[in-house]
Amino acid sequence: MSSIIQLLPDHVANQIAAGEVVQRPASVVKELLENAVDAGATDIKLIIKDAGKSLVQVIDNGKGMSVTDSRLCFERHATSKIRQAEDLFSLHTKGFRGEALASIAAIAHVEMKTKQELDELGTHIIIEGSKFISQDPSVLPKGTSFAVKNLFFNIPARRNFLKSETVEFRHIVDEFQRVALAHPNIYFTMYHNGSEMFNLPNSNYRQRIVNVFSGKTNEKLVPIQEETEIVTIEGFVGKPEFAKKNRGEQFFFVNDRFIKSGYLHHAVMAAYEGLLPNGSQPTYFIYLNVPPNTIDINIHPTKTEIKFDDEHALYAILRSTIKHSLGQFNVAPVLDFDRDPNLDTPYQYQNKTAEYPTVQVDSSFNPFADEKPTKQSSGGSNSYKKQEVSSSNWESLYVGLKNDTSEVETFSFESEEVTPSLFDEKEEEQTINRTYQIHKKYIVSPIKSGMVIMDQGRAHQRILYEQFLTNMTVHQASSQQLLFPLQMYFSNNELKLIAELQPSLENTGFVFEAFDTDSIHISGIPVNTTESEISMVLEQLLSDLQDGIPDSSFSQNDTIAKSMAKSLAVKTGTYLTEKEQESLVNNLFACKEPNVSPFQKPTFITMRVEDIDKRFAL
């Protein structure tokens, strides 16, 4: 009987490995940038075309490779980072498995140029789908240039699974930012379709963060620093007032390697306890330095997850460090026991009782005492003369009034003609449907068959959703102009996203006056929207569009309408007056689909009188 188990050919094994290592163009960017960092480069350039589908090229000025190493680096499990298993627990480099270049070469056209500093000539290698096409000596500068073209050219199914260029480019930018933030001492530049996207000169951590995210990032940061035997912590956390809805600007670095850790994130959130509103996420850039033998990096193919030896101690140290920094820089509310000595009671008066001031009153003073009449001055001057009226003659003031009452009675007033009402007052009071608010969340309205219980938040979402969708479809949205334009700061990626959404946002009532390199100027906002809500609306919109902008215009408008409706709808705990409750009820049942919210959740339920009777009959 023939054997069933067979060894896979190298090109098939490389393609299988590529499925774990290379998921999208951003994976290629990550591997090539980390290789350039490991090569000791001080200047790294990233060139992208068509969001990495056509070209991903990384050029560095590192140490380069010899002729033998340049050919050997494309073999599986060939690496210069480790020699034995014990080296896995003393890693100081990014990569160590030796699978990245072999996997990339199996699914793309690869062109590599490399040269060491002391060599006269470099090496130029071309590989297509794990097949060596050529290897020639060439005159090259010191360093390595690695170009990956036509990614997934031999795996059409994988290429079809790629998202739009906007989504893929966002993933590339994420990987670029992670490497650039971890190494501020390296000069990074990035180009996309011939345009310069990032130009990051070598600097310190704070300046690198500001250069990457631009805007007013510097004003948002609070430094943290702690040094213990277990870990050395440094970096920055954001002030609570700058918290956002999404989790975009959150970075953990362990030994200059970006990682994802829900456990450490929970420690950060615990430090912000009581300082953030519900659903908000703080910004943080935290750099941890631990002994290499206390962590295990080799637990995930992308090396973004790390296992720590003593997670509980690390959790406590990180939480206390952030909490201390927030209090030290007067970000968190603290009790201030320092007193102003100028406001203290002087020492010589501490044991003395207060002396009350004495008030002298002239008991014989009478402001209503009779005064002598003033005489007229000579010369005919107009002086006023006081007329005294004797109290005994007061009755004379009212003489003749009884006789004049007939004249008063002769006045007649035109009577208004009273028209009978169409309905009896008692019947009219009974026909009025009053609404009631329960726990500032539900609105109860009586109907003929029973009553309607409405969720005020979902109902308002449905109303706003249809209004925004109608405005964007008809292009007749009204806008309220601001007296002073509103300037808002965003990162480069967020500004590009808003620029792409500008036509749709203008159809909802926004008026954009100008786009700067790090901010936008808004001179008009939608009706019934306050200026303080604009920041929340745009942040929620950017959070909802993390996976990219839909291709079709209807889907794009639908996403924007849903996001804005969710941001501007009344929340649970908001008190509504009786008129507001009635308006909400009437507007909901005027919608095309009043039964469900934009997110397909019920907006109201009905309870019949028969159902209520059955409950009492139990």
Side-chain angles (χ1 to χ4, degrees):
M1 184 176 179
S2 61
S3 60
I4 301 175
I5 300 176
Q6 297 179 357
L7 290 174
L8 289 174
D10 288 341
H11 68 279
V12 178
N14 289 337
Q15 288 188 7
I16 294 174
E20 296 181 355
V21 179
V22 183
Q23 300 174 355
R24 54 185 358 130
S27 304
V28 178
V29 172
K30 173 181 179 297
E31 298 294 344
L32 297 184
L33 288 177
E34 289 181 348
N35 284 344
V37 173
D38 288 340
T42 59
D43 189 348
I44 300 176
K45 295 181 181 179
L46 173 61
I47 302 174
I48 302 295
K49 287 186 179 180
D50 299 330
K53 298 177 183 179
S54 299
L55 174 66
V56 175
Q57 185 175 7
V58 173
I59 304 173
D60 66 74
N61 62 347
K63 62 181 66 174
M65 289 181 283
S66 64
V67 178
T68 304
D69 290 342
S70 62
R71 182 68 179 264
L72 192 61
C73 70
F74 290 101
E75 299 295 330
R76 291 189 66 205
H77 307 304
T79 178
S80 62
K81 314 299 173 59
I82 60 175
R83 291 288 185 270
Q84 52 191 356
E86 288 75 12
D87 294 340
L88 290 173
F89 300 98
S90 60
L91 289 171
H92 297 278
T93 57
K94 303 293 184 182
F96 53 88
R97 288 198 182 100
E99 293 179 322
L101 297 183
S103 300
I104 294 172
I107 55 174
H109 296 167
V110 176
E111 182 179 359
M112 186 184 72
K113 299 177 182 179
T114 182
K115 174 183 173 296
Q116 292 181 330
E117 185 175 6
L118 300 179
D119 294 341
E120 295 182 358
L121 296 175
T123 305
H124 182 196
I125 295 178
I126 298 177
I127 301 176
E128 296 180 359
S130 296
K131 295 181 181 179
F132 277 83
I133 305 301
S134 64
Q135 179 176 349
D136 303 313
S138 179
V139 178
L140 300 170
K142 172 197 170 185
T144 303
S145 172
F146 208 106
V148 178
K149 305 175 183 178
N150 304 323
L151 192 65
F152 299 125
F153 79 98
N154 53 354
I155 311 178
R158 292 289 301 278
R159 190 175 182 90
N160 293 334
F161 274 105
L162 295 179
K163 304 294 183 180
S164 63
E165 287 193 8
T166 304
V167 178
E168 296 299 337
F169 178 71
R170 184 176 61 82
H171 285 287
I172 291 175
V173 171
D174 290 342
E175 295 294 345
F176 176 81
Q177 290 177 348
R178 292 167 183 175
V179 178
L181 290 173
H183 301 277
N185 57 327
I186 300 177
Y187 196 126
F188 285 94
T189 52
M190 176 179 173
Y191 301 88
H192 183 225
N193 293 336
S195 301
E196 184 180 84
M197 309 304 299
F198 290 95
N199 191 336
L200 309 175
N202 51 347
S203 58
N204 54 24
Y205 283 127
R206 190 180 194 116
Q207 190 61 42
R208 174 56 56 88
I209 294 171
V210 173
N211 290 337
V212 170
F213 293 99
S214 66
K216 290 190 174 182
T217 307
N218 192 37
E219 300 177 6
K220 307 176 185 178
L221 301 180
V222 175
I224 61 172
Q225 188 170 7
E226 185 66 37
E227 185 174 355
T228 64
E229 296 179 356
I230 300 175
V231 61
T232 300
I233 302 175
E234 62 178 328
F236 303 90
V237 294
K239 297 179 181 178
E241 58 266 27
F242 295 104
K244 295 184 177 182
K245 294 291 183 181
N246 58 353
R247 297 179 58 175
E249 299 175 4
Q250 296 180 349
F251 296 88
F252 280 114
F253 300 95
V254 176
N255 296 352
D256 294 336
R257 182 192 301 273
F258 172 80
I259 68 163
K260 297 178 181 179
S261 175
Y263 190 70
L264 296 181
H265 174 74
H266 190 276
V268 177
M269 297 301 294
Y272 277 91
E273 185 177 3
L275 300 176
L276 298 177
N278 292 332
S280 298
Q281 295 287 334
T283 299
Y284 55 79
F285 306 88
I286 300 176
Y287 300 84
L288 309 176
N289 194 354
V290 298
N293 58 350
T294 61
I295 58 175
D296 186 4
I297 304 172
N298 193 27
I299 62 173
H300 195 272
T302 59
K303 301 182 286 292
T304 56
E305 296 181 8
I306 290 180
K307 182 177 177 59
F308 297 93
D309 283 353
D310 194 352
E311 288 186 337
H312 297 288
L314 192 61
Y315 181 99
I317 295 173
L318 180 60
R319 177 181 176 274
S320 61
T321 301
I322 296 175
K323 207 170 187 64
H324 174 72
S325 295
L326 293 177
Q328 182 180 6
F329 289 89
N330 296 327
V331 176
V334 294
L335 293 176
D336 186 9
F337 296 99
D338 296 333
R339 297 181 302 171
D340 187 356
N342 295 325
L343 301 179
D344 292 343
T345 304
Y347 179 77
Q348 60 269 24
Y349 289 97
Q350 285 185 355
N351 298 324
K352 290 185 178 181
T353 58
E355 297 180 359
Y356 295 95
T358 57
V359 180
Q360 296 180 355
V361 179
D362 185 6
S363 58
S364 62
F365 176 74
N366 184 6
F368 303 102
D370 294 337
E371 297 181 2
K372 295 182 181 181
T374 57
K375 297 181 180 180
Q376 292 185 353
S377 59
S378 59
S381 63
N382 295 330
S383 61
Y384 294 96
K385 185 176 182 180
K386 229 174 182 180
Q387 296 181 356
E388 292 182 353
V389 180
S390 176
S391 60
S392 60
N393 297 330
W394 65 271
E395 295 179 352
S396 61
L397 297 175
Y398 300 94
V399 174
L401 290 180
K402 292 183 179 181
N403 298 331
D404 297 338
T405 55
S406 59
E407 297 180 2
V408 178
E409 293 176 355
T410 58
F411 286 103
S412 61
F413 298 93
E414 181 180 358
S415 61
E416 296 181 357
E417 183 179 358
V418 179
T419 58
S421 60
L422 297 176
F423 304 97
D424 190 7
E425 293 182 0
K426 295 183 179 180
E427 293 180 358
E428 186 177 359
E429 291 178 359
Q430 294 177 357
T431 58
I432 296 177
N433 292 333
R434 297 180 60 87
T435 57
Y436 305 93
Q437 190 179 27
I438 300 177
H439 294 295
K440 297 181 181 179
K441 183 177 182 180
Y442 300 106
I443 297 175
V444 179
S445 177
I447 56 177
K448 291 182 179 181
S449 60
M451 63 179 177
V452 172
I453 303 177
M454 180 186 304
D455 188 308
Q456 64 183 30
R458 295 180 183 178
H460 200 202
Q461 286 179 5
R462 164 55 61 178
I463 295 169
L464 294 176
Y465 168 72
E466 293 197 2
Q467 289 178 356
F468 287 130
L469 204 58
T470 302
N471 292 338
M472 286 188 285
T473 305
V474 183
H475 304 287
Q476 291 182 353
S478 54
S479 174
Q480 52 181 343
Q481 297 298 312
L482 299 176
L483 184 61
F484 300 101
L486 179 64
Q487 186 176 12
M488 302 182 64
Y489 293 87
F490 295 96
S491 63
N492 294 332
N493 295 336
E494 293 173 340
L495 286 174
K496 292 174 185 176
L497 195 60
I498 294 176
E500 294 182 21
L501 298 173
Q502 182 178 356
S504 298
L505 291 175
E506 288 178 345
N507 291 332
T508 64
F510 281 95
V511 178
F512 296 95
E513 190 173 278
F515 278 80
D516 294 338
T517 56
D518 58 351
S519 64
I520 58 175
H521 298 263
I522 301 175
S523 59
I525 58 178
V527 179
N528 299 327
T529 305
T530 60
E531 186 175 340
S532 60
E533 294 174 329
I534 298 303
S535 176
M536 176 186 63
V537 170
L538 293 180
E539 285 183 6
Q540 182 66 53
L541 179 61
L542 294 174
S543 176
D544 293 338
L545 292 174
Q546 282 186 348
D547 294 332
I549 303 175
D551 295 331
S552 64
S553 60
F554 175 78
S555 299
Q556 181 176 327
N557 293 340
D558 182 73
T559 303
I560 296 174
K562 285 181 180 179
S563 178
M564 294 183 63
K566 181 169 60 176
S567 301
L568 298 175
V570 293
K571 306 297 186 295
T572 299
T574 304
Y575 171 76
L576 300 179
T577 63
E578 188 174 341
K579 290 185 178 180
E580 291 173 340
Q581 297 171 25
E582 293 177 358
S583 175
L584 198 64
V585 173
N586 296 333
N587 290 335
L588 175 65
F589 289 103
C591 294
K592 295 180 180 179
E593 296 183 11
N595 297 329
V596 293
S597 71
F599 306 96
Q600 302 304 313
K601 295 181 180 180
T603 56
F604 66 90
I605 59 173
T606 58
M607 292 188 65
R608 299 180 302 170
V609 177
E610 291 82 357
D611 298 334
I612 301 175
D613 293 339
K614 291 179 181 178
R615 300 297 296 271
F616 282 100
L618 296 177

